[in-house]
């Protein structure tokens, strides 16, 4: 089955084409045919975070060129033309997108794709709607089935994926999902079944990285910047003299809290001229605090639920220190638990993850009537 997948939930516009076959745990295989992505991070940087209306406009401008690239890389671009009936009604307000799509359809025939997958949540609703409306239009003109995909399930799939399949997973599977919008520990007793153990009560861990970066006058997105400076400090062999809290590390249950950590940084930096080395020191201590909390909760869940497989996904799973701390502590724990992490360059948002989740959802017959698919900013993965 060839899938064209669309991701516009935040500030990455992405379109992939994959070819996939078989079933999970049996003969599943996939290959990436095309994988096109445009990050808007540099455009949002002056705002210190994602500016929803800017994200929406950029998605509108970028979707058709990225689709063209993803299809061309897959050698699936067909010259000819497609009828454009219904496009005006399906994209009434998305003028730029509509005009670009009409031009594309006038010059290209239907590609050899079997299914369209699109992120319908969670994320920024105005941004999600652009992808959803685009997917609805494509499904209509090409008469293809449409699969709505949960963005967080996409992160899970990518962390579980190998280069051409899915890694063997023993259940229960514990997933630590850490991104700009989410911090969740999820338990799966079976493939694609999710129950929530705990989540953040305030800021997501990626959000805390971004906010602390701002306090330290570092550019958006803050995660990679803090990670780089923290590593520079660690290399000196010194221990940070500043001490930050490890919020809720000993609290019962699996909830998290990162707002207090950010506030502690704010208090510390207030009315202070920071030297470059002090900035590195704070970055290091902040990263250590996040890692300590994430590791402690994950280890406790491994023990309580006897999880033989742990998966880490979402943008923050690109963080080398957090990955290393999880890997070494899980190894030292001695339960033989296997840790699955995504390749760092695929930890942050992309559309390959949506294609994989879309394939498995399609296998379950989770197609939707295009006219009923809606963007859902707060869509949940778990019951
Ligand atoms: O999954 P993602 O790309 O988008 C959401 O679905 O939210 O995650 C983005 C988040 C941002 O907060 C960014 O600062 C963080 O992931 N991030 C990192 C790193 N790379 C990205 N956080 C810590 N260390 C990193 N290396
Ligand atoms: Zn994400």
């Amino acid at each position: 089955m060839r899938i064209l997948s669309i991701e516009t939930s935040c500030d990455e516009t992405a379109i992939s084409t994959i070819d996939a076959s078989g079933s999970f745990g049996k003969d599943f295989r996939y290959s990436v045919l095309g994988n096109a992505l445009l990050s808007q991070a540099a455009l949002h940087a002056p705002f210190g975070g994602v500016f929803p209306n800017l994200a929406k406009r950029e998605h509108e401008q970028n979707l058709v060129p990225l689709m063209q690239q993803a299809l061309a890389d897959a050698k699936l671009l067909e010259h000819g033309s497609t009828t454009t009936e219904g496009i005006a009604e399906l994209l009434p307000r998305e003028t730029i997108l509509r005009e670009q799509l009409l031009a594309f359809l006038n010059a290209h025939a239907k590609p050899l794709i079997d299914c369209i997958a699109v992120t319908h949540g969670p994320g920024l609703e105005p941004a999600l709607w652009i992808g959803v409306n685009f997917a609805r239009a494509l499904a209509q003109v090409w008469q293809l089935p449409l699969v709505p995909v949960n963005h967080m399930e996409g992160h899970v799939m990518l962390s579980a994926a190998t280069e051409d399949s899915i890694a063997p997973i023993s259940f229960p599977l514990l997933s630590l999902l850490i991104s700009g919008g989410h911090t969740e520990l999820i338990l799966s007793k079976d493939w694609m079944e999710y129950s929530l153990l705990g989540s953040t009560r305030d800021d997501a861990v990626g959000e805390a990285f971004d906010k602390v970066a701002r306090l330290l006058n570092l550019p958006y997105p803050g995660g990679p910047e803090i990670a780089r400076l923290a590593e520079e400090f660690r290399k000196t062999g010194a221990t940070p003299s500043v001490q930050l809290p490890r919020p809720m590390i000993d609290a019962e249950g699996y909830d998290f809290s990162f707002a207090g950590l950010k506030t502690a940084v704010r208090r510390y930096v207030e009315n202070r001229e920071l030297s470059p080395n002090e900035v590195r020191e704070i970055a290091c201590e902040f990263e250590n605090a996040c890692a300590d909390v994430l590791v402690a909760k994950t280890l406790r869940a491994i023990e309580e639920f006897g999880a033989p497989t742990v998966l880490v996904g979402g943008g923050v799973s690109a963080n080398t220190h957090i990955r290393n701390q999880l890997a070494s502590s899980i190894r030292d724990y001695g339960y033989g638990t296997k840790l699955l992490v995504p390749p760092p360059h695929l930890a942050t948002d992309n559309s390959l993850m949506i294609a994989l989740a879309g394939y498995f959802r399609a296998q379950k017959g989770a197609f939707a009537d295009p006219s009923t698919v809606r963007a859902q900013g707060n869509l949940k993965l778990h019951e």
Side-chain angles (χ1 to χ4, degrees):
M1 174 185 263
R2 290 207 188 104
I3 300 188
L4 181 112
S5 62
I6 301 162
E7 158 66 36
T8 65
S9 70
C10 194
D11 60 346
E12 266 88 25
T13 323
I15 300 206
S16 301
T17 41
I18 69 162
D19 196 359
S21 61
S23 312
F24 169 77
K26 299 196 180 103
D27 50 354
F28 174 68
R29 285 284 176 281
Y30 79 96
S31 58
V32 183
L33 306 177
N35 194 22
L37 181 142
L38 243 168
S39 172
Q40 307 166 8
L43 292 173
H44 294 284
F47 303 98
V50 181
F51 192 59
N53 275 335
L54 177 60
K56 187 178 147 189
R57 196 194 70 197
E58 286 299 308
H59 290 314
E60 261 206 67
Q61 284 178 353
N62 295 333
L63 277 171
V64 172
L66 287 171
M67 174 173 75
Q68 182 141 4
Q69 189 190 327
L71 289 172
D73 290 348
K75 307 215 170 3
L76 289 172
L77 261 190
E78 300 283 340
H79 291 290
S81 66
T82 315
T83 91
T84 55
E85 210 175 309
I87 295 290
E89 291 78 47
L90 284 162
L91 298 169
R93 284 178 302 274
E94 294 85 356
T95 317
I96 309 166
L97 179 59
R98 184 177 66 237
E99 294 307 316
Q100 288 193 13
L101 182 57
L102 286 172
F104 178 87
L105 294 172
N106 283 328
H108 298 92
K110 177 181 172 177
L112 285 173
I113 294 284
D114 304 299
C115 172
I116 311 259
V118 64
T119 307
H120 69 135
L124 297 172
E125 233 163 72
L128 286 164
W129 268 117
I130 301 296
V132 165
N133 284 339
F134 183 59
R136 286 166 64 167
L138 292 179
Q140 154 98 14
V141 291
W142 289 336
Q143 291 292 296
L144 288 174
L146 181 61
V147 187
V149 171
N150 182 308
H151 178 89
M152 299 315 287
E153 184 161 72
H155 278 303
V156 170
M157 292 295 169
L158 200 66
S159 300
T162 61
E163 256 177 40
D164 62 354
S165 185
I166 292 278
I169 293 177
S170 305
F171 294 93
L173 164 72
L174 188 67
S175 297
L176 175 67
L177 300 183
I178 43 179
S179 69
H182 289 79
T183 306
E184 294 181 338
L185 261 173
I186 287 178
L187 193 71
S188 300
K189 297 217 166 97
D190 206 345
W191 184 233
M192 299 176 89
E193 281 182 21
Y194 310 95
S195 74
L196 182 70
L197 298 180
S199 60
T200 183
R201 296 191 177 172
D202 38 59
D203 293 352
V205 62
E207 190 180 352
F209 268 88
D210 295 334
K211 287 178 173 171
V212 165
R214 236 162 119 173
L215 291 170
L216 299 176
N217 286 321
L218 303 172
Y220 170 86
E225 278 299 305
I226 291 197
R228 184 177 61 77
L229 295 174
E231 199 44 43
E232 281 179 18
F233 185 82
R234 230 169 256 123
K235 272 201 197 127
T236 66
T239 17
S241 59
V242 40
Q243 290 217 325
L244 294 172
R246 270 61 178 160
M248 294 186 74
I249 195 162
D250 295 319
E252 254 184 62
Y254 296 102
D255 278 356
F256 300 89
S257 165
F258 291 97
L261 192 48
K262 167 199 69 192
T263 310
V265 174
R266 172 175 296 129
R267 288 221 189 89
Y268 186 81
V269 304
E270 242 162 21
N271 309 320
R272 233 184 247 239
E273 263 317 306
L274 295 174
S275 72
N277 197 52
E278 279 172 317
V279 171
R280 284 187 210 107
E281 193 171 15
I282 297 166
C284 182
E285 171 65 1
F286 169 77
E287 195 180 60
N288 287 346
C290 292
D292 286 354
V293 173
L294 294 171
V295 165
K297 302 260 171 186
T298 305
L299 289 184
R300 203 137 51 70
I302 291 174
E303 173 149 27
E304 179 173 349
F305 299 98
T309 319
V310 173
L311 169 161
V312 192
V316 182
S317 69
N319 185 282
T320 310
H321 180 66
I322 293 173
R323 290 162 82 110
N324 289 346
Q325 290 300 104
L326 279 166
S328 61
S329 59
I330 287 174
R331 194 178 50 236
D332 294 349
Y333 216 42
Y335 278 73
T337 296
K338 189 164 91 176
L339 177 67
L340 301 175
V341 292
H345 71 285
L346 291 173
T348 47
D349 292 349
N350 61 80
S351 50
L352 180 54
M353 64 193 227
I354 305 307
L356 289 171
Y359 175 75
F360 287 107
R361 282 285 150 197
Q363 272 216 319
K364 284 182 172 262
F367 300 105
D369 173 349
S371 65
T372 64
V373 181
R374 305 182 59 77
Q376 291 168 256
N378 293 318
L379 186 69
K380 299 271 178 283
L381 183 56
H382 38 82
E383 312 300 300

